[in-house]
Amino acid sequence: MRTLLLAASALTLALTAAAPATIARTDSAAEAARALAPVPPGKLTDAVRPTAYRIDLTVDPAQERFSGKVEIDTVLKHPARFIDLHGRDLKMASAVAMVGGKRFPARYFELDPTGVARLTFDRTLPAGAVTLLFDYDAPFNTGPAGMFRVKVADQWYSWTQFQSIDARAAFPGFDEPGFKVPFTVTLRTPKGLTAVSNAPQTGLTTENGMDVHRFAPTLPLPTYLMAFMVGPFASVADSVAPTPQRDWPLPVRIVTTQPNAPKMDFAMRGTKDIVRILEDYFGQAFPYPKLDQISTPILPGAMENAGADLYNDSILILDDNATTRQKRTFGMVVAHELGHQWFGDMVTPAWWDDIWLNESFANWMGFKIGHQWRPDLNIQAGALAEGFNAMNTDALVAGRPIRQPIETNAQIDEAFDSITYGKGGHVVAMIAGYMGDTKFRDGVRAYMKAHEHGSATSADFFGAMAKVAGDPRILPAMQSFTDQQGVPLVTFAPDGKGGYTVTQSRYARLGTQAPATRWGIPLCVRPVDGQQACQLLDGPSGSVAVAGPFVPNAGGTGYYRFELPAQDWDALIALAGKLPGGEALALDDSLFASFQAGRASPAQLIAGARQLSTNPDSYASASGMDSLQWFFSAGMLDEAGEAGYRRLVGQTYAPRLAALGFDPRAKAYAGEDPEKSEMRAEAVGKLASVARDPALRKQLGDAARAYLGGDKAALDPAWFRSAFAVVIDEGGLEAAKRVAELSLGSQDPLLRPATLGAVSASGQLEIARWLLTEFSDPRLRTSEKLGLIRGVVGRRETRDFGFAWLKDNYEALSSGGGGIFFTSGLPGLFGGYCSVAKADEIATFLRPKLAGKTGALALERTVERVRSCGVLKDARGAELSAEFAKVK
């Protein structure tokens, strides 16, 4: 799975859990069932194992509920009067166990809000083969979890999103990754609708006025990788020609809603190319008999369902005129999800504590293979940018290691965060770089072959790597990063002999103390005009023989921060514009972190941002100013400091945009060099929103108003957000209402989110009040309602209003189903505050409500982040503002 907005994804996934299950059982009967044995808080026992599923669902997306008949073949380890399994919000008409032709009627109880269910029997079931039969119905969700439906234009569609534990909302079963068995699926739909599942469709008949779609049995799969999609889809079909790894053509389809039909060709071409590259890397054929690439308007990312990947519309639906950012996202996310077909689907984690390996590896693969697909897009540099960004979370004392024991269902979703994706991917890149690409690839191939169509653990993967590496230190070095929280800090000090002594410690921000930690750090250093030299720093200190200006993180692949003497910082900063992109990103991260820890000076920060802005790598050139933007957005600067920051942005980007040129019309820069296009996008965004360049804002505003007037050629999608933000900024509430109407009247996967985002992030209190207290429209989707809240609290001008509104409405929003809010992701909304007092207020309000729930860790991270920012502001805000004020 790949989320586009990691901090927000917990809010968007499972937004609308349906109302509590309707189970025709008395409270006393449920309590009697509960008393039979402790309800498993997480992993089920080994008392029963499924061996096969037969799922027959009746799905009409135009209705509010669907129904199902499910048969599960199981093996019961011991005679039993009850069976624990999973089901959530299922209205059970009947449940029966069949043993040797005999019926054992069951009573079905849902005993836990996470979906732990129990079947009880009046007679003891004998050990051995038992088939469970269920007849039930259940509600569609309106947010992307379980079986969900959305109305697009005038037609209803339904999709499924089961990771991590939402398959249980679509059918009863054993909803754990280690239970990997074949599924035989039948989907009954209104006539004329398309149905998609994991395996090829083998038959289409009509029964009782419904189309009956039958699918071949799947290869062994866990429940979370199953998929059932139904609707009047548009599709295009082709195949990937045979390759050295595969002697048969692989059928491929792009499947999407009708309004997206004209934009499927890019996805088809890209998918075919990426499949071929992945087959070459793994040395194996695509592991499933067909591939469907499916899109939906509301999933906040993508999901690797075996043979039936699901993506947000904006990822999959584009054409050759799309922006560099959208093409980068396509390449990275499609390579990520298709990489999962081998690493994650064919070989699956035995339990959720090893899901990090799936996601971390796929994240690394997404950037690597995406870059191989289109080197001109510079996709691979994004992996390092994401890894360095993850360090901002990993540096907190409140947190978790990449791999952690998962003992309860409430802990599972906490594994899908920037630590798993960003840090995990960076650590994989670091180990691959240290071992060498060929050895690492050979280790991956050996691991895949040993566990083909089965389950595996982190220990299995580490063992495969250690064997091919031929270096026994690799295993503990890898585990020191996966099993420990925190960011290593490598401090360089002159040794008086022309080299440096290096010491390792755990990085900590100003005002915090991190526990002592030691890693096995692959430390790679190079002189600026020479080759890198690597060593494994597994003790508290070591020595490095390097002279002159040097790069402390060669290639930027090391997952560590560095600290330098002042003169070495200055020498490295002076070279920032000429460093390779990854090394420039490492410089920016460590310099910013040094200031946050109370060491680097404001002058060094500003000098670093200026120099980095001249780097030809678009990720690197944006990094320094993006770091400075954090101080501005957090409200750390006084009025004079903010004015100086705006001048700095104008001085940096106005000459660049003048050199690049700017024309807001559609397709004005079609076919342009991707890096040049991205440089322009960065300049326009900063100049319009921060420097508030009047000439540029007039161009954008005029183009947006022409678009509103019907001239769709007046504005390219690349400028939707910036241009409509100008219109709203100048026109206030009435303009916001007009733009909101444009949004809801459109199904365009770029226009709709961009315009709603411009409305919600206006920073105007009148608009914020209208959005949260008055705005209501049946066309507004559940995930979009959440986005409005996020936009309001994301702007410091409206953050206090949004926080107060959320506190006042918390109970109504978090109870029952159909709300616009999901409590597990709530704390992250307030991470933009910068105040010790506000940290205490957030903690006081939310700790009692989230104790023991999924959002508890996110809350502690937010509280620490807000408090740490407040400490830094109190200690260094004045000197930082004074330095910005010097910019004239």
Side-chain angles (χ1 to χ4, degrees), residues 782-815:
T782 299
S783 55
E784 292 169 337
K785 294 174 184 177
L786 173 67
L788 298 181
I789 300 173
R790 188 184 303 116
V792 169
V793 298
R795 283 292 296 267
R796 56 185 170 133
E797 298 90 344
T798 52
R799 187 173 293 139
D800 285 341
F801 170 77
F803 186 32
W805 182 85
L806 281 168
K807 288 198 293 184
D808 290 344
N809 292 273
Y810 180 89
E811 297 303 331
L813 292 168
S814 60
S815 62

Side-chain angles (χ1 to χ4, degrees), residues 632-866:
F632 176 80
S633 299
M636 195 173 291
L637 306 178
D638 61 22
E639 185 176 350
E642 287 192 2
Y645 173 66
R646 292 183 190 276
R647 289 192 296 271
L648 177 64
V649 170
Q651 293 171 10
T652 302
Y653 289 106
R656 176 186 298 180
L657 189 59
L660 292 170
F662 180 64
D663 182 345
R665 290 176 298 176
K667 302 181 183 179
Y669 301 107
E672 185 179 48
D673 173 74
E675 284 287 86
K676 185 176 180 181
S677 176
E678 183 59 24
M679 293 282 194
R680 180 183 293 104
E682 177 69 19
V684 169
K686 287 288 197 299
L687 287 171
S689 64
V690 179
R692 303 182 69 82
D693 182 276
L696 175 62
R697 286 172 64 84
K698 184 177 188 306
Q699 276 185 286
L700 290 167
D702 288 348
R705 283 182 280 270
Y707 192 99
L708 283 165
D711 183 4
K712 305 307 181 189
L715 186 64
D716 191 85
W719 320 119
F720 280 161
R721 180 68 178 259
S722 295
F724 285 107
V726 170
V727 169
I728 294 166
D729 195 37
E730 296 174 351
L733 180 59
E734 290 309 309
K737 290 181 177 180
R738 189 179 180 194
V739 173
E741 179 57 35
L742 172 70
S743 301
L744 298 183
S746 172
Q747 304 300 327
D748 187 292
L750 297 181
L751 177 68
R752 186 166 175 137
T755 46
L756 282 175
V759 172
S760 65
S762 69
Q764 297 184 37
L765 187 58
E766 184 181 26
I767 295 173
R769 184 175 291 110
W770 170 69
L771 284 174
L772 297 189
T773 64
E774 299 178 35
F775 183 43
S776 178
D777 192 299
R779 296 171 294 175
L780 192 66
R781 297 163 184 157
T782 299
S783 55
E784 292 169 337
K785 294 174 184 177
L786 173 67
L788 298 181
I789 300 173
R790 188 184 303 116
V792 169
V793 298
R795 283 292 296 267
R796 56 185 170 133
E797 298 90 344
T798 52
R799 187 173 293 139
D800 285 341
F801 170 77
F803 186 32
W805 182 85
L806 281 168
K807 288 198 293 184
D808 290 344
N809 292 273
Y810 180 89
E811 297 303 331
L813 292 168
S814 60
S815 62
I820 59 173
F821 188 71
F822 186 59
T823 54
S824 68
L826 170 64
L829 292 177
F830 307 112
Y833 274 117
C834 187
S835 161
V836 174
K838 188 61 71 172
D840 292 338
E841 182 182 352
I842 294 169
T844 299
F845 173 60
L846 286 177
R847 272 181 181 149
K849 302 178 185 302
L850 295 179
K853 298 180 181 178
T854 304
L857 175 58
L859 171 61
E860 296 309 315
R861 283 172 167 167
T862 297
V863 169
E864 183 181 343
R865 188 176 285 116
V866 171

Side-chain angles (χ1 to χ4, degrees), residues 484-765:
Q484 297 183 124
Q485 179 192 346
V487 180
L489 176 68
V490 178
T491 301
F492 290 74
D495 63 5
K497 303 174 185 178
Y500 291 84
T501 297
V502 292
T503 58
Q504 66 160 294
S505 60
R506 179 169 166 177
Y507 172 83
R509 292 185 175 124
L510 187 67
T512 64
Q513 283 193 333
T517 310
R518 185 184 298 179
W519 293 265
I521 304 171
L523 178 65
C524 296
V525 177
R526 73 171 182 89
V528 294
D529 56 354
Q531 298 298 312
Q532 75 175 32
C534 297
Q535 61 179 288
L536 191 66
L537 180 63
D538 53 4
S541 63
S543 61
V544 173
V546 62
F550 69 96
V551 178
N553 188 348
T557 57
Y559 189 82
Y560 57 86
R561 285 171 165 165
F562 54 83
E563 188 61 68
L564 302 174
Q567 65 271 22
D568 289 299
W569 269 125
D570 293 340
L572 190 59
I573 288 168
L575 297 168
K578 300 177 182 178
L579 293 175
E583 294 175 354
L585 290 170
L587 162 62
D588 172 67
D589 173 74
S590 288
L591 181 60
F592 179 64
S594 179
F595 179 86
Q596 288 185 307
R599 291 185 287 268
S601 70
Q604 288 175 316
L605 276 183
I606 294 173
R610 286 187 187 273
Q611 290 295 327
L612 284 164
S613 72
T614 67
N615 194 291
D617 182 289
S618 60
Y619 286 102
S621 70
S623 63
M625 285 296 175
D626 286 346
S627 293
L628 298 186
Q629 179 74 22
W630 181 79
F631 300 112
F632 176 80
S633 299
M636 195 173 291
L637 306 178
D638 61 22
E639 185 176 350
E642 287 192 2
Y645 173 66
R646 292 183 190 276
R647 289 192 296 271
L648 177 64
V649 170
Q651 293 171 10
T652 302
Y653 289 106
R656 176 186 298 180
L657 189 59
L660 292 170
F662 180 64
D663 182 345
R665 290 176 298 176
K667 302 181 183 179
Y669 301 107
E672 185 179 48
D673 173 74
E675 284 287 86
K676 185 176 180 181
S677 176
E678 183 59 24
M679 293 282 194
R680 180 183 293 104
E682 177 69 19
V684 169
K686 287 288 197 299
L687 287 171
S689 64
V690 179
R692 303 182 69 82
D693 182 276
L696 175 62
R697 286 172 64 84
K698 184 177 188 306
Q699 276 185 286
L700 290 167
D702 288 348
R705 283 182 280 270
Y707 192 99
L708 283 165
D711 183 4
K712 305 307 181 189
L715 186 64
D716 191 85
W719 320 119
F720 280 161
R721 180 68 178 259
S722 295
F724 285 107
V726 170
V727 169
I728 294 166
D729 195 37
E730 296 174 351
L733 180 59
E734 290 309 309
K737 290 181 177 180
R738 189 179 180 194
V739 173
E741 179 57 35
L742 172 70
S743 301
L744 298 183
S746 172
Q747 304 300 327
D748 187 292
L750 297 181
L751 177 68
R752 186 166 175 137
T755 46
L756 282 175
V759 172
S760 65
S762 69
Q764 297 184 37
L765 187 58

